[in-house]
Amino acid sequence: MITLHPRFDYLVSVIILANAATMGVSAELIATTDLTSDPRAIVVLEKIFCALFSIELALRLIAYRCGFFYGPGWAWNIFDFCVVSFQII
């Protein structure tokens, strides 16, 4: 399964770092300009990240099934599930 490949974890790590950088840029723009909301490009990027994290979560749920919530790393998996769920809501 693709989720077991080390490159999958590297790719997800890069996506997480890119998302963090985007949030930093967004916070900087809001703090240093007269903007009251995020620029359209930031909003689009946030939606793309949400979709990518949702796909990653779905792939892991398919690969691990119930073991996702009970196997090794279950606490991080539940945290990941909650973060992605709240991002979708």
Side-chain angles (χ1 to χ4, degrees):
M1 191 82 199
I2 191 170
T3 58
L4 300 176
H5 200 283
R7 288 186 182 172
F8 182 78
D9 287 332
Y10 295 141
L11 176 63
V12 171
S13 298
V14 168
I15 293 169
I16 290 170
L17 290 174
N19 186 37
T22 302
M23 290 189 308
V25 168
S26 173
E28 181 70 19
L29 283 173
I30 298 277
T32 59
T33 64
D34 292 336
L35 295 174
T36 56
S37 63
D38 288 329
R40 185 164 178 78
I42 299 289
V43 173
V44 169
L45 283 172
E46 287 175 355
K47 291 180 191 268
I48 291 170
F49 286 126
C50 181
L52 291 173
F53 290 135
S54 298
I55 291 167
E56 181 247 345
L57 181 63
L59 289 173
R60 290 192 190 272
L61 283 168
I62 290 167
Y64 297 113
R65 295 187 174 87
C66 289
F68 182 82
F69 296 106
Y70 302 109
W74 64 270
W76 283 112
N77 292 341
I78 290 174
F79 175 75
D80 189 29
F81 182 83
C82 290
V83 169
V84 172
S85 297
F86 287 131
Q87 187 177 13
I88 291 170
I89 296 173

